[in-house]
Amino acid sequence: MALLQPKARPRYKEKIVMSDVVLHVFNWKYQEIIDRLGEIREAGYGALLIPPILYSDVNSHDWWQRYQPKDYRVLLSHLGGKKELEELIKQCHTGEHKLKVYADIVINHMANEQREDRLNFPGDAELANYQHNRDLFEANKLYGDLNEGLFSGHDFNRSGNIEDHEWSDRHRVVYGDISDLPDLMDSPWVLLQQRTMLAALAKMGFDGFRIDAIKHISKRMIDNFADSDSLAGRYLFGEVLTTNDHEEKTFLDPFLQETWISAYDFRLFQTIRKAFEMGGSLRTLARPENENNGLPWSRSVTFVVNHDLPHNEDFRNLLLDRTDENLAYAYIVGKDGGLPLIYSDHNESVHRHPEDHDRWCNAFKRDDIKRMIRFHSQVQGKQMAMLYESDLVLVFRRGDCGIVAINKGGDHASVEFSTSGLKNPSLYEDCLNNNKMTIEGDRFTLSIHPRTAQMWLSE
């Protein structure tokens, strides 16, 4: 292998094309997203996943309040209102580098509010607030008549909280309450409101929706909106949170069989976790879709961290080591198939876990992440083929012009592979490290430092 000196401005940057990488702007205010669209576009993202947009507590900065909706008919929260959302969509859809906008939607439940009429939404006090601040709420109205209530006690399942021993019972998970959050039933009235709400959001210009807590939603409720003509062409994906094989069989497999919606690829995430842990093997990541180690690529939203992992104490043990997280990003952004998601927050978990400081804050514009996205953009649509695989090292190509190499081990690795299928002879540049190498001949030996990744592009 011949290594040359790095260049100040890698030439691959000049050839960048549109990416489909999704940026999860977790708990960002809408105006901040608008203000930073230039940075987001420069980083190469193709879509945004924005926080839940339905009406929630305007005065609370707590991120979890966004997941406790008060009314489907109003777009207003601590993060902003309808006007900002309309401007965000307009600006994302304008210009040469258009961005898709996916909204996080909570339809399984309503807010847990301590009031006498807690199953009436938005409730008598809130209806009075609507009247007192009529101009504000009419300006943020999505649909409907705000003089009337939306849901009553007749619209909720009344079977109580899901107890600890019931989380593997699919019926209880679908029809029970999560921590006193009133669980909506799949009655004709509720289904009509959900269908109407999503149709109105689609008309606003949203390109798709993340459906929160979708394993808690009945098939009837999913079919109600998923098969709606108003959502034709929109991208839908759900959060089917699973942590083991039994939960996958109970929740994930039926979801894949009963719906066409995409989902967070928790199956691949678990494979990644096991592959990078002590004693795990990267071989399991070589062909995950063929070995039931990941979702079908056409229905997979891939991730290495999402908002539940840092903020839910029950899931923090699933977080990867920081270095492993970076290597895993190189894998999901570098491989073929799935829709890669990058998580970026504002240090919301630091008050409980100081060790999280700046771990994901502004992660969207980290130099290594931006370089990974550039690689992804250049090889998008090109076939993935393994060049070398072992317990500690994985090397694969993307078409004839890209190579990804990952060494999770603590020692330097030197691996040899066939150059068949690669541009040869050709000069390659490592997007992550700016090194260069020339590939020629039938066989090639690649050197990989311990605990590092490389992403090579042919010039």
Side-chain angles (χ1 to χ4, degrees), residues 34-139:
I34 293 170
D35 293 342
R36 305 188 77 172
L37 284 177
E39 296 175 85
I40 293 168
R41 284 189 165 102
E42 189 277 333
Y45 294 93
L48 301 176
L49 170 59
I50 68 172
I53 58 179
L54 301 178
Y55 181 38
S56 64
D57 190 342
V58 176
N59 298 314
S60 175
H61 67 275
D62 292 321
W63 67 269
W64 49 266
Q65 283 286 358
R66 312 291 82 76
Y67 291 86
Q68 296 204 18
K70 299 159 71 73
D71 198 330
Y72 284 0
R73 303 167 301 181
V74 177
L75 302 182
L76 185 63
S77 75
H78 183 70
L79 305 180
K82 185 180 180 183
K83 180 180 178 181
E84 289 90 349
L85 288 171
E86 290 174 330
E87 182 63 21
L88 173 61
I89 294 170
K90 177 183 176 181
Q91 292 203 26
C92 284
H93 290 174
T94 301
E96 183 178 350
H97 185 155
K98 294 180 174 59
L99 294 166
K100 294 181 179 179
V101 185
Y102 304 141
D104 202 345
I105 299 295
V106 182
I107 62 173
N108 171 70
H109 55 261
M110 301 299 286
N112 175 15
E113 298 182 336
Q114 303 306 310
R115 49 186 172 85
E116 290 186 6
D117 58 341
R118 66 181 300 270
L119 293 183
N120 289 332
F121 283 91
D124 292 340
E126 198 63 67
L127 287 175
N129 185 32
Y130 290 175
Q131 299 306 311
H132 184 69
N133 297 283
R134 180 176 292 274
D135 290 345
L136 170 67
F137 285 96
E138 284 296 320

Side-chain angles (χ1 to χ4, degrees), residues 312-330:
N312 190 319
E313 296 301 316
D314 292 336
F315 300 137
R316 281 192 64 89
N317 66 315
L318 301 180
L319 286 169
L320 293 164
D321 166 89
R322 286 196 184 213
T323 299
D324 289 339
E325 183 174 293
N326 295 339
L327 298 180
Y329 263 135

Side-chain angles (χ1 to χ4, degrees), residues 132-150:
H132 184 69
N133 297 283
R134 180 176 292 274
D135 290 345
L136 170 67
F137 285 96
E138 284 296 320
N140 290 284
K141 184 175 74 173
L142 178 64
Y143 78 96
D145 184 355
L146 299 185
N147 293 305
E148 301 175 353
L150 181 67

Side-chain angles (χ1 to χ4, degrees), residues 24-27 61-64 67 305-319 343-353 356 360-361:
H24 186 182
V25 285
F26 176 73
N27 207 38
H61 67 275
D62 292 321
W63 67 269
W64 49 266
Y67 291 86
V305 58
N306 68 8
H307 77 271
D308 275 319
L309 305 188
H311 297 99
N312 190 319
E313 296 301 316
D314 292 336
F315 300 137
R316 281 192 64 89
N317 66 315
L318 301 180
L319 286 169
Y343 171 80
S344 193
D345 67 12
H346 288 331
N347 281 323
E348 282 83 355
S349 60
V350 169
H351 68 289
R352 286 189 178 181
H353 298 278
D356 289 352
W360 303 288
C361 184

Side-chain angles (χ1 to χ4, degrees), residues 184-233:
L184 284 162
M185 67 191 309
D186 53 11
S187 66
W189 175 254
V190 171
L191 297 181
L192 173 63
Q193 299 310 309
Q194 292 176 344
R195 193 165 60 246
T196 303
M197 176 263 292
L198 285 165
L201 291 174
K203 188 175 181 180
M204 275 182 65
F206 284 101
D207 299 286
F209 305 99
R210 172 196 180 270
I211 310 301
D212 180 68
I214 203 167
K215 78 175 184 181
H216 295 272
I217 300 173
S218 70
K219 181 179 182 297
R220 184 184 184 199
M221 190 175 285
I222 295 173
D223 290 344
N224 171 64
F225 61 82
D227 296 337
S228 171
D229 290 341
S230 62
L231 296 189

Side-chain angles (χ1 to χ4, degrees), residues 153-167:
H154 299 292
D155 298 311
F156 294 92
N157 296 307
R158 308 287 289 275
S159 58
N161 282 331
I162 305 166
E163 302 296 338
D164 289 345
H165 66 280
E166 296 177 321
W167 282 97

